[in-house]
Structure formats: structure tokens, C-alpha cells
Amino acid sequence: MIFKRRDPKPWLRSVAEFLWPRGGWTRAFHYVKHRMRRLPDSPERIARGSGPGCS
């Protein structure tokens, strides 16, 4: 891998960042919203695709 951590991230930090992102929930929400707006398809097709696969 080109970009790999020098020291592995502790599992407790991984859990903490999963529950509370480092930049905060507002920043994470705005990032996802920005990415969704940049998708090159119609809103109906994006909604159909993101509905069943919300992961």
C-alpha cells in the first residue's frame, strides 16, 4: 500500500471515531451532502440507489 499508517490505530480510537467523528457530526453531514450533490445522475435515480444500500 502506498498510504499506510506507520503505527496501527488503536481499536478504542477507531470505536471512538466511529461514534463521534473528529470533525464533528455537522462537518460529516455537510461532506456527505456535498458528495451526494456532485453525483452525475438524476435525483430520482440517486434516491433509488441510496435507499436500499444505505451503507
Side-chain angles (χ1 to χ4, degrees):
M1 267 189 159
I2 296 173
F3 299 109
K4 189 173 180 181
R5 290 182 170 274
R6 186 174 299 213
D7 299 321
K9 187 190 298 189
W11 68 271
L12 187 59
R13 177 170 283 239
S14 297
V15 170
E17 287 180 4
F18 177 76
L19 297 174
W20 192 267
R22 287 191 313 181
W25 282 108
T26 304
R27 183 178 173 94
F29 172 74
H30 287 297
Y31 174 75
V32 171
K33 184 174 74 171
H34 176 71
R35 292 288 303 224
M36 292 289 281
R37 285 187 173 173
R38 292 189 62 187
L39 290 173
D41 223 338
S42 69
E44 291 82 14
R45 289 193 62 172
I46 294 170
R48 275 190 263 142
S50 65
C54 288
S55 58

